[in-house]
Amino acid sequence: MAGIYLIGILVLAVSTFVSWRLRSKFNEYSQIGLSNGLSGAEVAQRMLNENGIYDVKVLSVEGMLTDHYNPQDKTVNLSADVYYGRSVAAAAVASHECGHAVQHQVAYAPLKFRSAIVPFVSVSSQYMQWVILAGILLINTSIIPLAVGVALFAVTTLFSFITLPVEFDASRRALAWIQSRGIVNPREYDYAKDALKWAAMTYVVAAIGSLATLLYYVSILMGARRND
C-alpha cells in the first residue's frame, strides 16, 4: 500500500513538471516564426488536401492547448494561437491534429478502437467516482459496489493506454509530412519534434497515473475480499 502511495506522489510530481515543460516549450516555439510564413490553419488545410481529405473542416476554438480532432463531425479544432499563429509551434500542433484526420481516413486500428469505446468511457467517467465512494462506504457490507467502481475505472485506464499509440502515430505522421513537404527547415523540424515529444509525454504520464490509481483501488478491493 505504501508503495502505491509513493508511486502516486511521484506521478503527480512528474505530471506537474511535464505540464509546465509543455507550456514552456509551446511558449518558446510560438516565438519562433515559421520560415515559409504559413499559419497553423494554412498548414492544416494543406496537409488535409495533400492527403486527399476534403471533408474535414479546420476551425478555431477558444482556449490554450485545446487543439483536437473530432472524428464525429470531422473537424480539426485549433486554438487561436495555433490557428492564426505563424510559428513552429503552430505548425507542429496543426499538423499533429491533422495526423488524426489521416488516421481516421486510413482506418488506423487503435483510433477505431478508441473511438468505439468512447461511449463506455463517458459513462464510466461520469459515475465511477460516485460508485467507488459508495463502495468504500459500504465495504463492510458488500464488496460488489467497489468491484463495479474498479471495473469502471479500469475502462478509463484502458482508454488512457489506447490513446498512447494514437498520439505517437499522429506525431509521426505530422513530422514526416512537414519534413517531406518542406514546411519546416532542419532547425524548425527539430523544434517541432521537441514540442510534440513533450505533448506526447503528457499522455504517458496520464496513463501511468491512471494505472497507479487503479492499482490503489484494486488493493483496497483485494484487502476487503481477504477480510470478507
Side-chain angles (χ1 to χ4, degrees), residues 19-145:
S19 296
W20 167 80
R21 191 64 172 165
L22 172 60
R23 290 182 178 274
S24 175
K25 288 292 184 179
F26 183 82
N27 289 333
E28 177 185 351
Y29 297 142
S30 291
Q31 304 304 314
I32 301 175
L34 202 61
S35 56
N36 60 21
L38 292 175
S39 69
E42 290 169 336
V43 169
Q45 196 62 62
R46 180 176 294 189
M47 183 171 175
L48 292 173
N49 292 347
E50 291 191 6
N51 280 277
I53 302 173
Y54 301 101
D55 59 347
V56 172
K57 295 181 180 180
V58 181
L59 305 176
S60 176
V61 295
E62 296 182 356
M64 180 181 180
L65 300 178
T66 51
D67 313 272
H68 64 281
Y69 170 67
N70 188 335
Q72 303 301 318
D73 60 7
K74 290 193 173 183
T75 57
V76 170
N77 301 274
L78 305 177
S79 58
D81 287 342
V82 173
Y83 188 92
Y84 298 104
R86 300 179 185 275
S87 65
V88 172
V93 174
S95 57
H96 171 87
E97 298 308 333
C98 288
H100 290 308
V102 175
Q103 291 174 334
H104 192 186
Q105 181 195 43
V106 301
Y108 180 59
L111 179 65
K112 288 181 63 179
F113 184 46
R114 188 180 73 166
S115 297
I117 68 172
V118 163
F120 301 101
V121 174
S122 297
V123 173
S124 296
S125 299
Q126 185 175 359
Y127 297 108
M128 66 182 181
Q129 294 296 345
W130 296 107
V131 175
I132 289 174
L133 177 60
I136 292 175
L137 293 175
L138 299 172
I139 198 167
N140 293 323
T141 303
S142 173
I143 64 171
I144 294 177

